[in-house]
Amino acid sequence: MPKNEARLQEVLGKNPAAWSNNCLVPYPKEFDKQIDLVAEAVRIAHSDPARARAIVQSLDTEPMKRWFIDVALWSGAWRAEIVGLHEKRMKSLGLRKIVAQKKLDDLFAGDKWRCRYCGIRVAGNRKHFKKFAQAIDMPELIAGRTDESRHGLYLMLMASYDHVRPVNQEGTNDSTNLVTACWCCQFGKYKYSLDELGLTGPIDPKLVKSDSWAGLDFKSGK
């Protein structure tokens, strides 16, 4: 998929001094209102699945899809290319190490279901999306095999795990090297280290205010 040069220039530009050092590219804060509605749908999914489905279907998620595809997906590569790291890192790719689901569930919970880079609330991985989609009878939430055909919420709120020290730099699956990451930051950071991208490091989950958000755990709304 070719990158959207115009959108990346508009959002990030080519001046490293103007980039955020907390995350690759801060997500649009207007998405928080949509996530608030997702939280309401999760809360009532067990007692009123039809209403929960109506809430999710009412959301305008096309901006989320476009943000993921046009901006976030390319943010790390864009930054790396501007500072001259692109070719260097392309020559030393490593193999991503699989993490067990139980360990992932514990990781997401420990990170308060938030991306440790941009701070956005994450919904969980495909297991959580599938369970929620079945609960509210909304198969389109997990349909599609390409980014263009997938649901905007799926792209924007999918949770993954990131190796803070990349695998291609001998990063391990040790819990001290794993953080919760949204797909935007996961794919954006890609194979680069925090230093290479000019980032200060993951957000400390202890600094995140605790609330009722627990991803797509619809049973928590009983």
Side-chain angles (χ1 to χ4, degrees), residues 24 67-68 72-73 75 155-156 182-189:
L24 290 166
W67 176 263
F68 176 81
L73 196 61
S75 57
L155 295 174
M156 196 70 202
C182 65
W183 259 8
C184 288
C185 291
Q186 167 69 64
F187 287 113
K189 182 170 174 281

Side-chain angles (χ1 to χ4, degrees):
M1 184 184 299
K3 60 185 174 183
N4 189 323
E5 294 267 358
R7 190 81 194 279
L8 286 164
Q9 177 63 47
E10 174 191 356
V11 175
L12 277 169
K14 295 186 176 182
N15 178 14
W19 295 341
S20 167
N21 63 0
N22 295 316
C23 65
L24 290 166
V25 53
Y27 71 93
K29 289 302 180 181
E30 56 264 29
F31 290 171
D32 283 333
K33 294 181 180 179
Q34 301 280 60
I35 301 173
D36 287 342
L37 291 173
V38 174
E40 173 61 14
V42 172
R43 188 185 68 81
I44 65 173
H46 180 78
S47 60
D48 193 348
R51 175 58 181 158
R53 180 174 64 253
I55 291 174
V56 177
Q57 289 176 331
S58 73
L59 302 179
D60 178 12
T61 61
E62 184 62 23
M64 290 184 172
K65 178 184 290 190
R66 295 268 52 91
W67 176 263
F68 176 81
I69 295 174
D70 297 338
V71 179
L73 196 61
W74 294 97
S75 57
W78 177 268
R79 291 173 67 134
E81 185 175 359
I82 298 303
V83 298
L85 290 171
H86 187 66
E87 292 301 322
K88 173 188 173 185
R89 297 312 315 160
M90 282 296 288
K91 296 177 182 178
S92 57
L93 290 174
L95 295 176
R96 184 166 168 78
K97 300 181 179 181
I98 304 301
V99 176
Q101 184 64 52
K102 176 61 169 62
K103 188 171 183 177
L104 284 181
D105 288 342
D106 292 342
L107 177 68
F108 298 157
D111 288 341
K112 301 180 181 179
W113 296 86
R114 282 166 171 77
C115 174
R116 291 280 298 279
Y117 293 116
C118 71
I120 196 171
R121 286 169 285 180
V122 292
N125 58 17
R126 185 169 177 82
K127 181 196 82 169
H128 303 97
F129 267 97
K130 184 176 181 180
K131 188 175 181 180
F132 182 66
Q134 291 174 340
I136 65 173
D137 191 21
M138 190 175 171
E140 63 267 33
L141 195 57
I142 55 173
R145 294 189 176 185
T146 66
D147 291 339
E148 287 290 354
S149 64
R150 286 171 171 157
H151 199 282
L153 285 179
Y154 189 88
L155 295 174
M156 196 70 202
L157 302 187
M158 174 67 75
S160 185
Y161 58 98
D162 181 66
H163 293 89
V164 179
R165 182 178 182 180
V167 173
N168 61 18
Q169 296 180 33
E170 300 182 350
T172 70
N173 276 2
D174 186 86
S175 58
T176 60
N177 192 50
L178 295 178
V179 295
T180 300
C182 65
W183 259 8
C184 288
C185 291
Q186 167 69 64
F187 287 113
K189 182 170 174 281
Y190 193 24
K191 57 192 174 289
Y192 304 106
S193 70
L194 297 176
D195 287 342
E196 286 173 327
L197 295 174
L199 300 176
T200 57
I203 300 169
D204 186 342
K206 295 179 181 178
L207 300 179
V208 178
K209 183 179 179 181
S210 297
D211 56 25
S212 61
W213 177 258
L216 297 181
D217 180 15
F218 66 95
K219 287 186 178 180
S220 64
K222 282 187 177 182

